Amino acid sequence: MPMYEANTAVIGRVVTHPVRRVLQNGDHVLSFRLASTARRYDQGAGDWVDGGTLYLTVSCWRRGIIEGVEASLQRGDPIIAYGQLRSNEYTTRDGAERTDLEMRALALGPDLGRCTAPVVRKSFGRTDRTEPGERPSVDADTAGEPATTHS
């Protein structure tokens, strides 16, 4: 049972390979673990030092995100994850109280401050869009003008 829900962004690294499961009702879910480590600059040491690490499970339920993660992300990748954060409290078989942090992802992407990534746009069945690199030519005389003129 979720104890807390909020939308937030988390910057971190994928620490487990994303795995897709098919549930009994036929729904698909893809999940992986994400680690986010706080860093700060230590003036005395003259270097960056790691602080605590936040671990959470990222769950992907929408088909588009599942397909995008499967095609793009792997263990070790630096990413930015945005979604609904939930804190789940439970009791283990041993009787120990535990709290897990889960994010239901709404958007995921590479952290371009720590990597580079080619962008391949999904067409979603539309054929009326230009491909990247096939930008319409612009005539210098009409740049900034409306596409149609009225008499």
Side-chain angles (χ1 to χ4, degrees), residues 52-108:
T53 300
L54 169 73
Y55 291 94
L56 61 115
T57 299
V58 178
S59 299
C60 306
W61 292 87
R62 293 189 356 244
R63 188 184 80 195
I65 291 180
I66 290 172
E67 291 171 357
V69 169
E70 285 181 324
S72 306
L73 297 182
Q74 60 187 353
R75 184 174 177 225
D77 287 345
I79 67 167
I80 300 171
Y82 177 79
Q84 185 179 64
L85 203 57
R86 296 171 175 229
S87 173
N88 298 310
E89 294 179 1
Y90 64 96
T91 305
T92 65
R93 292 181 184 147
D94 310 4
E97 297 291 323
R98 297 272 191 251
T99 303
D100 275 346
L101 200 55
E102 175 193 3
M103 174 183 281
R104 289 194 174 208
L106 299 173
L108 296 166

